[in-house]
Structures are given as C-alpha cells and as structure tokens.
Amino acid sequence: MNRPTPVLLRGYGCECHTSRPANGDATTLLGSVDVDTALQAVRWIRVAVRTLSPALNSEAFEEAWQWLSEDHHDALQALVQGEPVALTLQQGSTTIQWTARPVQFLKLTPRRSVNSPTGTQEYTGPRPEA
C-alpha cells in the first residue's frame, strides 16, 4: 500500500526588509526565499550580509562581522529548536533586518531548488565535468 504524500512540508521562510524614518517608517521588502533546512536559512542571511558588509559604516560592519563569525551559530540552533531569528543592522538612517522563521508550506506544486534560476530544469546541454 502506498503512503499518501504529506500535504504540509516543513521549511523556513527568510526575508530582508529595510526601513527609514524619513519614509514614515514604512518597510520595504528587499528579498525573500523559502528553504528546506535551518542551515540553508542561515546561509542565505550570511551570503547577503557578506555581500553588503563592505558598504557598511564601521559600527554596522562590526555588528555584521560578529554575526558572521560567531552569532550565526546561535541563530542556527534557535531555528533548529523552532524559534525565529533576526539580524538587524543600522546604516545611517536606514535599518536593515534579515529574518528567518520555521514555517509549514502547503504542497501545491513542486518547489524549484533555491539556487536554480527559472528554466534550469529544461536545460539539456552538456554538464561541466567535476
């Protein structure tokens, strides 16, 4: 007998928002991603912070570097234990916040891989050799 496919899938929802008091504290969603594991969620935040870090002022850079080198371990543990996490940096008058939280996805259609751009499943050309 075949087991039914689960309707709910566990995963993690990740987002990056900015806000500026000059804009009336309105937040802007800069990016989001749904991933399968806590490690993928923390990795998404780490890549974004590493990419942005050269443009940060010294205080925000220090906070970012602390999170990248040490505090991301605590974030990973929190996610594994079912707790949401956030990293907030202040760059001048702009607040930048990355969040990750455990979620349940309703399985409606197959999800594409996080790192695969649209159309990669249809590509049938030669694969690079390892």
Side-chain angles (χ1 to χ4, degrees):
M1 180 192 267
N2 292 339
R3 291 185 167 199
T5 304
V7 176
L8 294 176
L9 303 173
R10 294 180 189 263
Y12 298 85
C14 308
E15 296 179 341
C16 178
H17 290 90
T18 62
S19 63
R20 299 180 76 184
N23 292 349
D25 286 330
T27 61
T28 302
L29 177 65
L30 295 182
S32 66
V33 66
D34 298 329
V35 295
D36 296 323
T37 68
L39 183 59
Q40 290 171 324
V42 170
R43 186 175 296 140
W44 183 76
I45 295 171
R46 291 186 78 208
V47 167
V49 172
R50 254 185 271 152
T51 302
L52 181 64
S53 65
L56 296 173
N57 61 37
S58 60
E59 185 178 328
F61 180 84
E62 292 291 327
E63 290 178 42
W65 191 252
Q66 175 65 33
W67 197 89
L68 289 170
S69 59
E70 301 284 334
D71 297 346
H72 73 278
H73 296 292
D74 294 336
L76 179 59
Q77 286 299 328
L79 284 172
V80 168
Q81 294 172 3
E83 301 170 21
V85 299
L87 169 62
T88 304
L89 300 175
Q90 189 69 37
Q91 171 69 17
S93 64
T94 301
T95 301
I96 310 162
Q97 184 176 62
W98 291 268
T99 60
R101 60 189 168 81
V103 296
Q104 290 188 336
F105 301 106
L106 181 58
K107 184 176 182 180
L108 298 175
T109 60
R111 292 171 41 207
R112 290 190 308 261
S113 172
V114 172
N115 297 322
S116 298
T118 303
T120 56
Q121 283 75 19
E122 291 83 29
Y123 180 71
T124 59
R127 300 282 186 223
E129 295 183 24

